[in-house]
């Protein structure tokens, strides 16, 4: 079976072959699907991510949820292997943090039991809702801190959907994986 490091390289190569306009359109379609999800609509508190350039741009979802009065929390990297959540209070509250990721610098959020839905990026996902991260383990260490009932949705581009991803014991399985035209449920 292909190793995780090789899969990450393959996904990066796939992305380089796709025009920026096409990535934007795929992000738009994925956001539409995400906003149509009933669990997200019913949620009061949502953990999102602020996208890197090679991830689905979910900023329209962040803005929409925040405009609707939902509590939106975003990760902030605080150390070599740790992250915390902070409340999102608008674009003015964002600063460039670790790895060039825009991070909120507002109020620390520690009420993990209040989170209803967590939207999670990944390098790749498979049909069994396994996630391949970037290899640093931030989400694999953080997600076990959330309540078991938190609905975890992996979001990706279609070229990031694979038949099978090698897994390890510590890997966290998503409850669902969403792309532009695919929705897998675990």
């Amino acid at each position: 079976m292909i190793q995780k490091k090789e899969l990450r390289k393959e996904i990066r190569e796939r992305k380089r072959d796709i025009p920026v306009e096409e990535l934007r359109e795929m992000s738009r379609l994925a956001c539409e699907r995400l906003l149509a999800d009933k669990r997200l609509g019913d949620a009061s508190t949502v953990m999102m991510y602020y996208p890197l350039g090679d991830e689905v741009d979910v900023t329209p979802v962040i803005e929409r949820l925040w405009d609707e009065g939902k509590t939106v929390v975003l990760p902030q990297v605080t150390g070599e292997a740790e992250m915390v959540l902070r409340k999102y209070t608008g674009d003015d509250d964002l600063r460039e943090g670790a790895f060039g990721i825009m991070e909120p610098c507002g109020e620390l959020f520690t009420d993990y039991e209040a989170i209803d839905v967590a939207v999670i990026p990944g390098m790749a996902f498979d049909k069994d809702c396994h996630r391949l991260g970037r290899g640093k383990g931030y989400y694999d260490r953080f997600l076990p801190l959330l309540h078991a009932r938190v609905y975890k949705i992996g979001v990706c581009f279609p070229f990031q959907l694979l038949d099978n991803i090698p897994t390890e014991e510590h890997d966290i399985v998503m409850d669902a994986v969403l792309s532009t035209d695919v929705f897998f449920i675990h």
Side-chain angles (χ1 to χ4, degrees):
M1 180 182 289
I2 192 166
Q3 296 300 310
K4 289 182 176 185
K5 186 175 181 179
E6 294 165 348
L7 281 175
R8 288 183 188 100
K9 182 180 177 193
E10 180 183 320
I11 294 298
R12 283 186 193 99
E13 289 171 0
R14 287 182 187 184
K15 185 201 176 274
R16 279 193 288 269
D17 292 338
I18 300 174
V20 172
E21 305 79 38
E22 196 172 328
L23 291 172
R24 278 193 202 116
E25 178 62 10
M26 285 190 274
S27 284
R28 186 187 68 74
L29 292 170
C31 286
E32 282 181 8
R33 290 196 65 127
L34 188 56
L35 285 166
D37 187 279
K38 182 174 176 9
R39 282 189 169 94
L40 192 66
D42 292 344
S44 296
T45 302
V46 180
M47 176 182 161
M48 295 290 297
Y49 66 91
Y50 205 90
L52 287 170
D54 63 349
E55 295 173 333
V56 172
D57 181 358
V58 293
T59 54
V61 176
I62 293 169
E63 287 298 319
R64 172 94 165 268
L65 296 175
W66 188 62
D67 287 346
E68 291 174 357
K70 296 180 188 290
T71 299
V72 177
V73 294
L74 299 173
Q76 177 193 37
V77 173
T78 58
E80 182 63 31
E82 295 180 12
M83 66 184 200
V84 297
L85 296 178
R86 294 196 177 270
K87 284 187 179 180
Y88 174 77
T89 57
D91 283 346
D92 293 341
D93 186 34
L94 297 172
R95 303 289 178 270
E96 188 171 323
F99 311 107
I101 300 170
M102 296 304 287
E103 299 175 335
C105 47
E107 181 184 341
L108 187 66
F109 182 87
T110 58
D111 187 9
Y112 299 155
E113 291 212 8
I115 297 172
D116 301 302
V117 174
V119 178
I120 312 296
M123 287 295 290
F125 295 91
D126 69 16
K127 62 186 179 315
D128 295 319
C129 297
H130 296 120
R131 174 184 173 271
L132 175 68
R134 293 183 175 274
K136 302 281 187 188
Y138 286 99
Y139 281 95
D140 287 324
R141 278 186 289 283
F142 184 81
L143 290 175
L145 302 176
L146 301 181
H147 193 281
R149 70 162 177 72
V150 173
Y151 194 72
K152 297 172 292 301
I153 303 173
V155 178
C156 65
F157 294 114
F159 62 85
Q160 293 174 295
L161 293 169
L162 306 175
D163 289 333
N164 194 330
I165 291 175
T167 59
E168 297 173 43
E169 189 175 311
H170 66 270
D171 291 334
I172 304 296
V173 178
M174 301 292 102
D175 295 300
V177 174
L178 177 147
S179 186
T180 57
D181 57 352
V182 176
F183 192 75
F184 295 128
I185 298 176
H186 182 253

